[in-house]
Each structure stands twice: as C-alpha cells, then as structure tokens.
Amino acid sequence: MTLDRRSFLAAASGITGAISFTPWLWAGQNRERAADVAIIGGSLGGCAAAIAALRRGLTVVMTEETDWIGGQLTSQIVPPDEHAHIETHGANASYRKLRNDIRDYYRHHYPLTDAAKHQTNLNPGGGSVSRLCHEPRVALAVLNKMLAPYLKSGKLTLLLEHVPVQADMQGDRISSVTVRSLAKGSEQTLTAPYFIDATELGDLLPLTGSEYVTGAEAKADTKELHAADVAAPANQQAFTVCFPLQYVAGQDYVGDKPADYDFWRDYVPALTPPWSGKLLDLSYSSPRDLKPKKLGFDPSGAATPGSLNLWLYRRILNAANFVPGSYAGSATLVNWPQNDCVLGNLIDVSEAEKQKHIAQAKQLSLSLFYWLQTECPRSDGGAGFAGLRLLPEMTGTTDGLAKYPYVRESRRILAETTITELHVGAEQRSAITGRSGKQLKAKSFADSVGVGSYHIDLHPSSGGDNYIDFASLPFQIPLGAMIPRRVENLIPACKNIGTTHLTNGCYRLHPVEWGIGEAAGCLVSFALEKKESPRGIRSLPDKLADFQRSLTTEGIELAWS
C-alpha cells in the first residue's frame, strides 16, 4: 500500500483515519498481522509505548477504539493535570518534548501575537489548572507527527476504530488477539510475542482471563487508612463526557432543551457525606473538607471575588494570545464537578448498559450546557449566557461533545506489586516512618521505572462516595506494578497497573500514564533483546540494573532528587 504526498501529510496532521503499510498475511479466510508487539488501545500510554518500542527498532501494531489516538489528551479533550515541577523535572524527557512540541505547533501554525509566540512556557489557553491548556486537535497533530515516520517505513500499523473481541491463550501466554473494525465489522487476528493493554478500561484483562480488581478494596485487605470497610468492586469513580465552550458576547445560541434536562436540572447526587445541593448549581462539595463551596462563572473572563471562576479554570483558548480577529471569543473545557456522572459504570457491565450510561452522561453534559445558557446566575442579577456555543470543530464530533468519556478508573491487574496508600499517602507514610516535612518520603522501590507526583484525587463514585482527596508524596512507578501475577506476555500501559482504588487517584494523570506507557514499550524491547521475560528481568538484579540504565539513557527519571 502506498500514499500520495497529500494523504501522508493529512495523516501526519491528524486529519485522516487508519493507515497501514504492513501487508496482509493470509491464513485461510482469516486475515492476520504479525509484529514484535501488539498494543491494544491508542491511549496516551499506548502512544508512549508505541513510540518507545519503535524508537528501539521494534515493529508495532496499535489499535484504537476511536478515530483519534491520544486518549485523555485528545479524544477525551482533557488538558494535562500535572505537578508544579513539570517544566524542569519529575517526568520523562519524552513527555516534556511532547509538551514543547505542542507549544511549537502553536508557534508554527497558529496566529499567535508576538508576545505569546515568544513566551518560553506558552500556555495557549491560560487556564489555571495546567501550565499547558490547549486544544485537543493540536495534541493529536503532534502525536501523529511523532508516529508518521514509522507509518511511512512500515514499522507501525495503526488500526483506528478497532476493538478487541477475543484473545487466544496457550497456557499463561497470549498467542493472539482478534480485533474488530467498528466501521466495517471485519475482523483480523494480531500475533506478537508481547501484548500491551493500553485501553481506557483494561479491556484485554477479561478477554485473556487475567486476574484483576475493580472499584474499592476493603481496609482489611489493603491496610490503607482511607480504604472502605467493605470491598465494593462496583463502586467506581465518576466518568465525564467533556466538552469545550466558546463565548461570543451579544450572540444567542440557545437551542432546543435537551431531552433529559428536567431530570438533571433537579438532580441531587445521593452521596455520603451529602453533596452541596443540586448538581447543576454554582456550588459543590470542596474535595478536601467536603464543605459546600461557592464557584463562579463569568465567560467574559472577569475575576469572581472569593470563588474560583470555572471559565478560567480549564480555558484552552485565550483569544488574547492570538492576533486580533482570529477568534470570536475564548474557549474553555468543561470537565467540572457538575458533569461528573455517577449513575452507572462502564466496567464489567453489558455493552447495552455501558452505552446507556454513556448516553446519560452525554445528556448531563448537554443539560449543563443548556443550564449555563439559560439559568446560570450572573453577577448582574440576570440568568444565563446565551452567547455560549459548543465547538464541534474542536472535538471532531457532530454534537460538540468529546469522542470518548473521560475515564478515571480502569480494571487493575493483580500485580506482583500493588501500590497502596502505605507507599505514597502522606498521612499514612508519616505514621509508618515517624517522619514529617522534608524528611517524609514515599516508599523507595528498587525496581523503579519512572516517577510521578499528584495528590490522591478520587471524584464522587457510583457507590455513593463523595470526593476522597488527600495528600500524597512524589512517588515512583515500580516495575512490579506492571507485571501480572500469572500471565507472562501481557503488559499494562495506563490506569490498569497494580494500584488500588485509592492510589489510582494519583497514578492516573497524564505524565504518569505517559511514563507507564513508555516503560511498557521499553520493557518489551529489552525482554526481546535479552531473551528474558519481564518477570525474569525484575527478579534478576543484573538484568534489572541493565534495564534501568537503558531507561535513564533515554531520559527516564527513576527517582526524585
């Protein structure tokens, strides 16, 4: 298969769909693809795994459920949540390159003002949640550009809009995974020595019979200070269908009332401790102390004294950073407490129930949008901002909502190492070690393959928990958390590593997921090169040390200085 120049450039910029340069292998009536590693899921971790494996010379086939790679950064349209030191340390060099490439894309392709163009740490949206609030299509273009040379050379096969439907096992090894095209219904079989699960929900785990957990563990099992008294596998964090909004003063974009608006306008989440009141309101339960807290919303960008202005919080396009006339108004990303959906789960339910819950979450987001247009209190005593509009051109969807729900919690492997609050929680670590202040550290893991930092942040759950939010310590990513207890050639690459319900809350963010994915791609390469299993690499001190040296050579930090 060949591409003309126009088609190739379109693919590199994220315009077209699936591309493959790998020839078909025929086995009777079944189409097969063989590679050194099959990555199921094009999440942010999946992209990092693919780039690492390709960089090390492997052939890769990667699938993705949507038509956009990049997961939470693109199809879920969530700008990165990061720690305060991200510009200088505490993340892989490749992740910081991704961030810098996003900034450079704006400099080279967008009508920035001279002042914005010369900002070293350009924040295109100027949102307060991140030092890099940006549009999802820019991240998509950058990721596609990173992968484009490998697509052209045939080292990478990318199968968009494909999902896994079957896995064949030989003992404790995966021999093949069958994937189905959502567009055509056709199936093909992927074979490889190693399989990486980079799906948002850990979809390979049940297909392969891999042992895993979901939801909340019991305190008796994990010994965690903040764990539940009784295990509740179905008690999972809210997911959110995010959407971007633009405000154009003087315009009226109010359309038809959403079908479920009356339900959501009066909906009060049934949570313990109680929520602050109605969900569609400018108040919420403050995550740290669960007391009612007033929020502000003013799409003109004006400050709201005494409260957080939600418009500025996740603003992804600040019109002031661009040449006057480039945009009719600024835009923000709505990923707020008000559109977290707790009415049902996406994991271990039927496909029909999963789609029902996604439809409910979409109705919630559309209802929130309509409420902002028509009923949201204004500082002048009026109600509603009719000049708000959805931005389907930014999301790549017809309805202006994200292509895929923002997922906070996945199936999690039963791993050789399970990271618990005892390892990273500030309060429990202090109780264990008797230390405080600068002397208080997270547990040091001898098999570290990366680092991260974020507080433990659990959103309200389907089981009725309100926020669970408390301090953690800068932490490491242990290799043991990436190795299933039984299956030999399955590696997790994102939120499906061996964490608990609680510690998932600090390991689920963008730079950590990238680090997990990059470590997964490097691990497969090293295992093939040394002809040693991932379990063997971890258990053999000389092999582990060699692997860790190879990681540091590629700019992967293994410890906090």
Side-chain angles (χ1 to χ4, degrees):
M1 178 180 179
T2 59
L3 286 181
D4 58 27
R5 174 176 171 80
R6 180 181 179 185
S7 298
F8 177 71
L9 291 177
S13 63
I15 297 172
T16 62
I19 304 173
S20 169
F21 290 86
T22 302
W24 291 110
L25 298 176
W26 290 89
Q29 297 300 311
N30 296 322
R31 294 183 293 183
E32 295 185 358
R33 289 184 187 272
D36 293 322
V37 58
I39 301 174
I40 309 301
S43 62
L44 193 59
C47 289
I51 291 167
L54 291 163
R55 185 177 68 221
R56 286 177 167 228
L58 301 189
T59 57
V60 174
V61 56
M62 181 166 74
T63 69
E64 163 54 26
E65 183 172 348
T66 72
D67 60 350
W68 282 13
I69 60 171
Q72 58 181 323
L73 197 61
T74 59
S75 61
Q76 298 169 41
I77 62 174
V78 180
D81 285 302
E82 300 166 331
H83 59 76
H85 309 291
I86 196 67
E87 302 288 358
T88 58
H89 64 282
N92 295 0
S94 62
Y95 180 78
R96 288 198 290 274
K97 182 181 185 304
L98 170 68
R99 301 173 82 258
N100 290 333
D101 286 352
I102 289 170
R103 287 169 168 151
D104 284 344
Y105 192 93
Y106 275 97
R107 294 187 181 104
H108 295 148
H109 299 284
Y110 277 67
L112 292 172
T113 64
D114 286 340
K117 189 176 294 186
H118 291 95
Q119 290 176 14
T120 301
N121 294 333
L122 171 66
N123 190 345
S128 60
V129 73
S130 170
R131 290 164 174 79
L132 187 60
C133 287
H134 64 279
E135 301 166 61
R137 280 190 179 274
V138 175
L140 175 66
V142 169
L143 289 169
N144 277 324
K145 186 177 180 181
M146 288 179 170
L147 294 176
Y150 303 107
L151 284 165
K152 185 177 181 181
S153 69
K155 288 287 189 179
L156 170 65
T157 299
L158 179 58
L159 302 175
L160 300 179
E161 297 182 281
H162 280 71
V163 295
V165 294
Q166 179 181 326
D168 291 326
M169 305 294 294
Q170 292 183 348
D172 292 336
R173 296 188 64 84
I174 307 168
S175 57
S176 68
V177 170
T178 300
V179 296
R180 177 179 298 151
S181 168
L182 295 175
K184 299 178 181 179
S186 57
E187 295 183 355
Q188 53 191 282
T189 299
L190 311 181
T191 60
Y194 285 94
F195 292 83
I196 290 177
D197 186 341
T199 62
E200 299 294 341
L201 301 173
D203 293 337
L204 271 192
L205 303 186
L207 290 178
T208 59
S210 298
E211 293 78 9
Y212 65 88
V213 295
T214 65
E217 297 91 347
K219 184 174 296 187
D221 295 327
T222 67
K223 310 299 188 264
E224 294 173 302
L225 185 63
H226 291 85
D229 290 333
V230 179
N235 186 15
Q236 300 162 21
Q237 285 191 72
F239 66 93
T240 308
V241 175
C242 304
F243 59 96
L245 283 181
Q246 185 181 50
Y247 181 67
V248 185
Q251 297 297 311
D252 186 343
Y253 295 110
V254 178
D256 295 337
K257 185 172 71 172
D260 294 348
Y261 181 70
D262 292 340
F263 170 82
W264 287 114
R265 181 183 55 192
D266 297 326
Y267 175 72
V268 178
L271 301 176
T272 304
W275 190 251
S276 58
K278 291 183 178 181
L279 186 61
L280 299 192
D281 190 77
L282 291 183
S283 64
Y284 79 129
S285 296
S286 180
R288 293 295 174 92
D289 59 18
L290 300 180
K291 294 179 180 178
K293 182 176 181 178
K294 193 70 176 174
L295 298 167
F297 181 76
D298 186 341
S300 72
T304 49
S307 60
L308 172 69
N309 184 350
L310 285 170
W311 179 261
L312 298 177
Y313 183 54
R314 292 187 187 272
R315 189 174 60 186
I316 55 178
L317 192 158
N318 180 9
N321 279 331
F322 301 87
V323 173
S326 300
Y327 296 98
S330 298
T332 198
L333 188 279
V334 180
N335 173 25
W336 303 343
Q338 290 88 344
N339 62 327
D340 279 355
C341 190
V342 297
L343 293 187
N345 298 325
L346 305 182
I347 295 173
D348 290 350
V349 297
S350 69
E351 184 61 24
E353 186 173 352
K354 175 183 174 181
Q355 293 306 321
K356 181 188 80 171
H357 296 323
I358 292 174
Q360 288 175 323
K362 287 184 175 182
Q363 277 292 307
L364 170 57
S365 288
L366 291 172
S367 296
L368 173 57
F369 167 56
Y370 187 81
W371 182 84
L372 291 169
Q373 288 182 311
T374 61
E375 297 193 46
C376 178
R378 299 197 311 253
S379 59
D380 63 4
F385 298 88
L388 291 169
R389 78 175 188 97
L390 295 170
L391 294 167
E393 66 271 24
M394 193 177 283
T395 62
T397 59
T398 56
D399 58 11
L401 304 179
K403 289 177 178 288
Y404 196 89
Y406 176 39
V407 174
R408 296 181 176 87
E409 189 167 345
S410 171
R411 298 176 180 91
R412 306 181 297 276
I413 64 167
L414 281 179
E416 291 201 340
T417 299
T418 299
I419 305 159
T420 70
E421 186 183 350
L422 285 73
H423 299 137
V424 300
E427 183 179 358
Q428 195 156 14
R429 286 295 296 166
S430 180
I432 292 170
T433 64
R435 296 177 180 176
S436 60
K438 293 183 178 180
Q439 300 302 313
L440 182 61
K441 308 285 186 184
K443 178 177 174 57
S444 178
F445 289 102
D447 62 343
S448 173
V449 292
V451 298
S453 181
Y454 203 77
H455 59 103
I456 291 178
D457 170 21
L458 276 69
H459 283 231
S461 71
S462 60
D465 293 335
N466 207 325
Y467 280 104
I468 300 174
D469 191 304
F470 55 93
S472 69
L473 302 162
F475 53 78
Q476 296 171 308
I477 303 167
L479 179 58
M482 298 176 60
I483 300 178
R485 293 182 185 175
R486 181 179 58 82
V487 179
E488 294 293 339
N489 62 335
L490 173 66
I491 306 296
C494 36
K495 302 178 188 72
N496 49 357
I497 65 168
T499 59
T500 64
H501 179 63
L502 293 176
T503 56
N504 163 74
C506 61
Y507 277 77
R508 66 178 174 83
L509 289 309
H510 299 67
V512 183
E513 181 176 323
W514 182 274
I516 294 166
E518 186 167 15
C522 291
L523 178 62
V524 170
S525 170
F526 191 84
L528 290 172
E529 177 190 349
K530 302 299 182 182
K531 296 180 174 57
E532 184 60 76
S533 70
R535 201 180 315 280
I537 291 168
R538 179 174 180 263
S539 64
L540 298 170
D542 58 334
K543 288 289 195 303
L544 176 62
D546 285 346
F547 178 52
Q548 290 175 315
R549 277 191 290 270
S550 76
L551 296 179
T552 58
T553 299
E554 297 185 38
I556 296 173
E557 298 179 31
L558 303 184
W560 286 87
S561 56

